[in-house]
Amino acid sequence: MDVRVRRIYDEPSGDDGVRVLVDRLWPRGLAKAVARIDEWPKSLTPSTELRRWYHEGGTWEEFRSRYEAELAEPAAAQALDSLRSLAGKGRVTLLTASKTLPTSHAEVLRQALAR
């Protein structure tokens, strides 16, 4: 399975494959035509409450644990299975506005797709 994580503000690449926005909110200052998004499964994004908690000083370990629990909920699990199926057919690039990719929800999602 070929899944990678990139910032939505980076220039789209010809080898991105299917471009999937994994943020709940549309990135500021970015035109939809420029972003070239193929999918935007909002049910896979962290809840507003979890996102706010993490940005207000929550720990990475606790965030990861809580987000994994959210991904196990029925709507998210179904969307995760659909995305996993898509990734089985070719490259998928998860896109986020996060500046810290290794400690972002997109990385948790990438790891969940690999399971």
Side-chain angles (χ1 to χ4, degrees):
M1 193 172 301
D2 188 5
V3 179
R4 65 182 182 174
V5 176
R6 294 186 64 206
R7 290 201 71 224
I8 185 68
Y9 296 108
D10 294 341
E11 189 72 27
S13 171
D15 67 344
D16 281 343
V18 178
R19 293 172 54 85
V20 181
L21 179 61
V22 295
D23 290 346
R24 184 168 296 272
L25 304 174
W26 187 262
R28 290 183 187 175
L30 187 65
K32 291 185 180 183
V34 173
R36 292 187 20 216
I37 300 302
D38 298 308
E39 302 280 338
W40 189 10
K42 293 181 184 178
S43 61
L44 287 178
T45 65
S47 65
T48 300
E49 296 79 16
L50 180 57
R51 184 175 47 80
R52 286 181 180 157
W53 173 84
Y54 186 45
H55 291 294
E56 290 172 358
T59 66
W60 164 243
E61 294 79 15
E62 182 66 19
F63 170 78
R64 183 176 56 217
S65 176
R66 290 182 184 188
Y67 183 41
E68 287 172 345
E70 287 186 358
L71 289 174
E73 294 175 8
Q78 184 177 6
L80 188 62
D81 285 344
S82 295
L83 191 55
R84 191 176 285 121
S85 175
L86 193 61
K89 297 175 185 170
R91 175 173 281 166
V92 169
T93 300
L94 305 178
L95 301 163
T96 180
S98 176
K99 293 179 183 177
T100 55
L101 297 181
T103 55
S104 73
H105 67 286
E107 179 58 25
V108 176
L109 186 55
R110 186 191 67 76
Q111 292 172 11
L113 286 167
R115 292 186 210 130

